[in-house]
Amino acid sequence: QVQLVESGGGSVQAGGSLRLSCAASGYTFSRGYAAWFRQAPGKEREGVAVIYPSGITFYADSVKGRFTISRDNGKNTVYLQMNSLKPEDTAMYYCAAVFAVYVRNWAQAAEYRYWGQGTQVTVSS
């Protein structure tokens, strides 16, 4: 049984940083795709960043240059380093993963089979 557990959320002021972690059991991140999504109240869930099995990464335009997704294969954990946080980054952040040969649109939630429970990030101005 696959379980993804996020941690690291919290409240920070604008300009601050947070690092989110997603630890997996029953799933090996290096063998599949792993992504971070976020969902703010009243908004759709949006893809933030993805890391491919090869290690290639992609980002949403809104976070490019500020967020970094990474993977520690030894710890079987995926991270999201978030710098220069803005109030509009406030959302519940979810870790998602899927074993797949190919993902057509990494930013689409429907592409992912496994999800964590989420961790709240709140950025105040």
Side-chain angles (χ1 to χ4, degrees):
Q1 185 174 355
V2 175
Q3 188 174 16
L4 305 180
V5 179
E6 302 100 332
S7 61
S11 297
V12 295
Q13 289 192 326
S17 298
L18 284 173
R19 188 177 80 155
L20 306 183
S21 299
C22 176
S25 58
Y27 181 91
T28 303
F29 279 125
S30 61
R31 296 178 59 193
Y33 294 76
W36 287 95
F37 283 75
R38 66 185 181 186
Q39 188 167 20
K43 295 189 176 181
E44 291 189 359
R45 192 168 296 192
E46 65 169 340
V48 174
V50 65
I51 184 163
Y52 283 21
S54 64
I56 292 173
T57 59
F58 292 98
Y59 299 90
D61 288 343
S62 58
V63 307
K64 207 171 290 184
R66 300 188 297 122
F67 290 11
T68 303
I69 188 171
S70 62
R71 185 178 68 209
D72 185 327
N73 293 338
K75 295 182 179 179
N76 199 27
T77 299
V78 170
Y79 302 97
L80 185 68
Q81 178 67 44
M82 306 185 295
N83 298 328
S84 303
L85 282 161
K86 304 176 181 180
E88 51 263 43
D89 294 318
T90 295
M92 185 72 79
Y93 283 71
Y94 298 91
C95 176
V98 64
F99 285 124
V101 174
Y102 172 70
V103 170
R104 185 171 66 176
N105 185 344
W106 72 264
Q108 286 290 330
E111 295 275 15
Y112 298 87
R113 179 173 181 181
Y114 306 110
W115 291 85
Q117 81 290 349
T119 186
Q120 178 67 37
V121 171
T122 302
V123 184
S124 58
S125 57

